[in-house]
Amino acid sequence: MVWYTILIQQIINGLALGSVYALIALGYTMVYGIIKLINFAHGEIYMLGAYFGFFALTIFNLPLIPAMLISMLLAAIIGMGIERIAYRPLRNAPRIAALITAIGASLLIQSVAQLTFGASFRPFPQVIPFQRIQVGPIFLTNRQLIMFGVAILLMVLLHLIVHYTKIGKAMRAVSMDKEAALLMGIDVDKVISFTFAVGSALAAAGGILVGMYYNRIDPYMGIMPGLKAFVAAVLGGIGVIPGAVLGGFLMGTAENLVVAFGSSTYRDAVAFAVLILVLLLRPSGLLGKRQNEKV
Amino acid sequence: MLDLKGRKGKWNISVLILLGILYLVIHCMAASRILLPYHIQVLGLVCINIILVVSLNLINGFLGQLAIGHAGFLAIGAYLSAALTVFYGFPFLLAILISGIAAGLVGILIGVPALRLTGDYLAIATLGFGEIIRVIILNIPAVGGPRGFSGIPRLTNFGLTYLLAIITVFVVKNFIDSAHGRAVVSIREDEIAADSLGVNTTYYKVAAFAIGAFFAGTAGALFSHYMQYISPAPSQIGFLRSIEILIMVVLGGLGSLTGSVITAFALTLLPELLRGFAEYRMVIYPILLILMMLFRPSGLMAGNELSFEFLEKLFKRKPKSNAKGVSPGGAN
Amino acid sequence: MAPTKGLEVNGLSVQFGGLKAVSNLSLAVQHGELIGLIGPNGAGKTTVFNALTGFCRPNSGTIIFDGHDITHKPPHFVAQFGVARTFQNIRLFKDLSVLDNLKIAYHQNFGYSILGGILRIPLYHQEEAKVIEESVRILDLVNLTEHRQVKAGNLAYGNQRKLEIARALVMKPKLLLLDEPAAGMNPFETRELVKLIREIQESFDLTVFLIEHDMSLVMNLCKRIYVLDYGLLIASGGVDEVRNDPRVIEAYLGEDAPWQS
Ligand SMILES: Nc1ncnc2c1ncn2[C@@H]1O[C@H](COP(=O)(O)OP(=O)(O)OP(=O)(O)O)[C@@H](O)[C@H]1O
Ligand SMILES: [Mg+2]
């Protein structure tokens, strides 16, 4: 194959994977935008989403779409629960305490998942028969198309929620200025809960999509995608919703290109290299605005 | 005149004498087979963990920055020292020193950009740096790549780990009790106020970071020459290890050195002693972590040091003589 | 021209996004003066202090202190030139003792290195003893000596304000910027504060520049006053001059003019 077909091929693969990074990154960015906390447990919600989907598909024999909806609902409940139990009491505590709690929540979910679901991986049911589609010298799979399509659909949905519903507008208000929102009579606690719910649901959908894509799930599957999605959120500009989407796609593409033209052992290092470059060159991210602390 | 520290100086010396006696006791118990070589081996690991936990506490607890890539510095020390002794025949002590310096330099290199960031970014950035170091090591065939580095001579013994643990604790303690250490603590307390008082906050962040990294590097050197093998697995030199060290720091108390020593001791021994515990510890630790942050964020020791004064306070429950007229709530 | 002693600000502007917090401000404070800066809420007073001390970057203008250009210098650098400040929303090290708060302010005067501190060289012991002695002297001045082991956050409010001033004094500054030092104090505490400010200004040979809403304090203490409104300097001069300036009256219109209450 000539190099540019490889290039195009890898960009396509990257966009497919990136759409999932974007879904996860949205959760990070929305939560960060509102409570200025990295929700370290977000990657674990994504993992749980994949397992919920797995059980819905295998044990309850549900079709894909209801399985996905149920998984998203359960993930939303768990996300809200984590916020309520672990984060809310620490909202005014020193930042380091909230961060440590977030790390604790992440570890806890991981270990509980490992104990209940088993440490080894499980094959994800092949709900949709594998198909390869050839366009000239480029190959696509139907799974990639589904992954991409579902992700885009959910993003459009999110956009509609954030811009055209009451709660969505409240979300934006709270992320701009919490005190002012409070003064205007917005129930900030409810908005924060809702943000966790929406972010968690998106991550759960991402978990199922990736489960189908790689055909396997395991209790640790959330760690790396979680971190990478966070980097994607930073790359796009944390707190900025379109930024998370852009960052996700860029991350997915960059990772695939490095694997194609470099070495696969560097796959996981790409994210962190990107992170460090962003932080050095443009800490507010591609679409973010500079902020300065009030003295 | 008022609260001069003459007493504290003596305290240092008496603690050193106690530590010397403790060493002799352990030595005698080992000689008379009350402590088996396996026990001594575990105690050595305890000391190595003390170095790691105390040095991370300097960054997390005293500087107040959540850096979670400590295992990266351990990795640098472990691999570099092994390469120096195995390939180049360096004397071990020199290799330890070089490892510490190298880790410290990398700490500075990382610290300068990363410490410009606020807490959250710093956490992820340090975690990222740790992983990058690991990935780089994975890609160096000379040190075994993914298979790990084996055939390292056993140059570390219990006495050496014990000595270095003591040095670490004393260096960090003396640093904290100096003007420079107070500058570090002031950054944790209120960075803007510190700035306004002429504290070069960037310099002190990087300095604390570098000192922490230095000791983590020496711990790495001790570790690889103790186990005679070092694996690039996440649980050895990756983020799982970093998180484990972080757990010990937090449970012992952010900003409490004695707390760090106690948790390093307890959490290294427990999994060895209780087989069942090892299986559930990754459920128990995070729960403790969360409960700790929710109900007792300053940790086991609540920023106090286990000292004669502290014990006095604990048992007598007598208000400090010179704090009269002021209730803790600051009424009036 | 020989470098003047004191503070000289020329054409200072600070902008936050679209908001001009300070526009084209010029002012001069001679060494040894006691000067006030007043203006309605949000006028940009604190922002002026922040620009002077390096906490926010001016978009244009220059700041000269004692002949040194400190315009774009970082805060710790400005502090080393002898500019100390307090904050409107008190910034003490709340979990540290009163004494430790002062010790930290002594920071730039320590002579031993990091290594010297770790090795506890003789200089370490000498300087640690000296800093305690000097801190206690300053605590005596603000009547906080008996509280020296108390956590700063546990002090009564008025004492916290005084501690913040004491902490600034430890730095042996030449210029002291006080941002609403009397805020939240009762009349008795305020009178004491006035006395304290006078006292330290003389005994430390200080230039004092203060922001205050309590006009009796300002009128009492300051020989000269600058008035800001919406970031613009609308008046300056002696107390009476400013008091009768129509633009000042207008700026305060809608609010009770502070000196009429
Ligand atoms: N860091 C910042 N970012 C954005 N806007 C700011 C910042 N600091 C101040 N401002 C804005 O600049 C304007 C001036 O604020 P400043 O705090 O200087 O006023 P002030 O005169 O001190 O008021 P007050 O008497 O209430 O203390 C205000 O509108 C404020 O909201
Ligand atoms: Mg103000």
Side-chain angles (χ1 to χ4, degrees), chain A residues 295, chain C residues 40-47 88 179-180 211 213:
Chain A
V295 178
Chain C
N41 287 105
K45 307 179 294 294
T46 299
T47 306
Q88 183 170 353
D179 196 344
E180 303 198 12
I211 297 175
H213 280 296

Side-chain angles (χ1 to χ4, degrees), chain C residues 92-142:
Chain C
L92 290 171
F93 305 119
K94 289 196 185 63
D95 286 332
L96 304 184
S97 72
V98 166
L99 190 61
D100 278 341
N101 268 270
L102 297 200
K103 280 185 180 176
I104 290 166
Y106 197 72
H107 178 77
Q108 7 172 0
N109 297 316
F110 280 99
Y112 59 83
S113 63
I114 291 184
L115 202 60
I118 290 171
L119 298 177
R120 300 263 158 113
I121 56 172
L123 188 63
Y124 166 85
H125 293 285
Q126 286 164 24
E127 297 208 340
E128 291 292 313
K130 199 172 77 186
V131 62
I132 291 176
E133 209 175 294
E134 293 203 10
S135 301
V136 169
R137 228 187 48 227
I138 288 177
L139 284 176
D140 278 338
L141 210 67
V142 292

Side-chain angles (χ1 to χ4, degrees), chain B residues 191-224:
Chain B
E191 189 169 342
I192 287 171
D195 242 332
S196 81
L197 297 174
V199 172
N200 184 344
T201 50
T202 312
Y203 174 83
Y204 280 103
K205 282 182 188 176
V206 174
F209 207 64
I211 294 174
F214 172 89
F215 282 110
T218 62
L222 291 178
F223 186 66
S224 59

Side-chain angles (χ1 to χ4, degrees), chain A residues 292-295, chain C residues 15-17 19-22 38-50 56 88 179-180 211 213 228 231:
Chain A
N292 34 14
E293 193 181 356
K294 264 198 176 178
V295 178
Chain C
Q15 216 163 329
F16 297 114
L19 178 84
K20 280 206 154 183
V22 179
I38 64 169
N41 287 105
K45 307 179 294 294
T46 299
T47 306
V48 171
F49 274 18
N50 286 345
C56 69
Q88 183 170 353
D179 196 344
E180 303 198 12
I211 297 175
H213 280 296
L228 275 188

Side-chain angles (χ1 to χ4, degrees), chain A residues 64-142:
Chain A
L64 180 60
I65 300 210
M68 193 176 263
L69 290 177
I70 285 183
S71 158
M72 287 168 74
L73 181 70
L74 289 175
I77 292 171
I78 292 185
M80 279 164 32
I82 294 174
E83 189 273 329
R84 184 69 195 79
I85 297 169
Y87 300 159
R88 191 175 298 179
L90 289 169
R91 222 176 270 161
N92 296 317
R95 186 73 67 85
I96 192 167
L99 279 171
I100 288 171
T101 311
I103 292 174
S106 154
L107 288 176
L108 182 62
I109 296 175
Q110 234 174 68
S111 331
V112 170
Q114 188 206 319
L115 285 176
T116 45
F117 306 146
S120 53
F121 77 90
R122 292 174 187 241
F124 203 83
Q126 308 231 12
V127 221
I128 291 161
F130 181 79
Q131 265 180 2
R132 224 144 113 108
I133 303 159
Q134 188 170 5
V135 186
I138 309 291
F139 289 97
L140 290 173
T141 71
N142 56 339

